[in-house]
Amino acid sequence: TCFDFIISALGSLSMSITRDIEQEAAAWAQVDDLASRAEVAAAAQGESIGIRARDGEFDPITFQDAISALRSRSYEAELPAIVPEIKPSNFIVAFFRFLFGPPKLSASLLSDRDVLFCVAKVPLDHNEVVSERMLQTIYMRLTGADRFMPSRGPHWDSIGFQGDDPATDLRGVGVLGLLTLLYLCTRHRDIALDMYKLSRHERQQFPFCVASLSITRI
């Protein structure tokens, strides 16, 4: 009967939802376990487990604090190398750009634009406190870890870097790559966690952090 069909359909739907919930719970349990497994792997290689969070200068860093620190930094070495805008090759190109091109950036924002271009030229230095705090905060927000991990080790592979040292993957985008990841992981952590979980799916695997760096480079 129609009633029996509806009951059967609801039963099938309930079983499907239950399976989905169980799979989601298992996936999140895997994410929650990443930090402890990474610590064991690091210890097996003779590395220190890391410095617990909230130890003065090694506290996690907010996006706003990172921006403020990067703005106050000197970029004398990087400024000559940046090309913030491409000048028109001839008068006709300049004329059409004037008529139909994008609006000019406000003069008050030009310095921030140059800072971002310079930040992209700054390599990751594990001895530099701000960039190291950015890197460690990204790891903590994604895995739920409560401590800073060793600067090099297999644990970085678990969040989507391609090797034991994130500095290698950051060569193309510099610290700007960390800044965009930090923004995602602190300002939109729910989205970041969903993307991170998807990156570790058995059929949808991709290196989460490297994918973000590739988008930043574009």
Side-chain angles (χ1 to χ4, degrees):
T1 65
C2 180
F3 179 76
D4 291 335
F5 174 78
I6 292 174
I7 293 298
S8 177
L10 288 175
S12 298
L13 178 61
S14 176
M15 292 177 62
S16 176
I17 292 174
T18 300
R19 285 196 300 270
D20 290 343
I21 291 175
E22 291 174 349
Q23 291 174 356
E24 290 291 322
W28 279 113
Q30 183 182 25
V31 170
D32 292 337
D33 189 49
L34 281 175
S36 60
R37 288 193 287 109
E39 291 180 1
V40 171
Q45 291 193 354
E47 298 188 44
S48 61
I49 291 302
I51 302 172
R52 288 191 63 84
R54 309 203 176 280
D55 286 339
E57 65 179 1
F58 294 104
D59 284 354
I61 192 170
T62 66
F63 176 77
Q64 190 57 51
D65 286 346
I67 282 286
S68 297
L70 292 173
R71 280 175 175 162
S72 62
R73 185 185 185 277
S74 174
Y75 295 101
E76 292 182 2
E78 291 80 16
L79 273 172
I82 68 171
V83 184
E85 58 181 330
I86 301 175
K87 295 183 179 180
S89 57
N90 55 57
F91 173 77
I92 296 177
V93 174
F95 179 71
F96 275 93
R97 176 181 291 185
F98 175 77
L99 292 178
F100 307 109
K104 288 187 176 181
L105 193 65
S106 170
S108 61
L109 298 176
L110 291 179
S111 60
D112 282 345
R113 177 203 64 184
D114 291 347
V115 165
L116 289 178
F117 274 91
C118 288
V119 169
K121 297 287 186 182
V122 177
L124 171 61
D125 179 1
H126 292 296
N127 294 318
E128 202 280 313
V129 173
V130 173
S131 57
E132 184 68 10
R133 287 175 65 196
M134 291 167 63
L135 176 65
Q136 298 283 351
T137 301
I138 292 165
Y139 183 89
M140 294 169 69
R141 292 295 179 266
L142 288 175
T143 66
D146 67 344
R147 67 187 67 219
F148 280 13
M149 302 301 291
S151 298
R152 298 173 181 82
H155 44 279
W156 297 113
D157 179 75
S158 69
I159 63 171
F161 285 106
Q162 291 185 315
D164 290 351
D165 188 354
T168 303
D169 294 321
L170 286 161
R171 285 180 299 187
V173 291
V175 176
L176 181 62
L178 285 183
L179 188 64
T180 55
L181 270 169
L182 182 68
Y183 177 83
L184 178 63
C185 293
T186 57
R187 295 290 183 88
H188 302 283
R189 190 185 181 200
D190 53 342
I191 298 176
L193 289 174
D194 285 343
M195 294 169 64
Y196 176 53
K197 182 173 66 174
L198 180 63
S199 75
R200 299 186 61 81
H201 190 276
E202 58 182 7
R203 288 178 295 178
Q204 301 284 343
Q205 290 186 24
F206 61 90
F208 174 72
C209 286
V210 170
S212 175
L213 299 181
S214 297
I215 294 173
T216 300
R217 188 171 186 177
I218 293 173

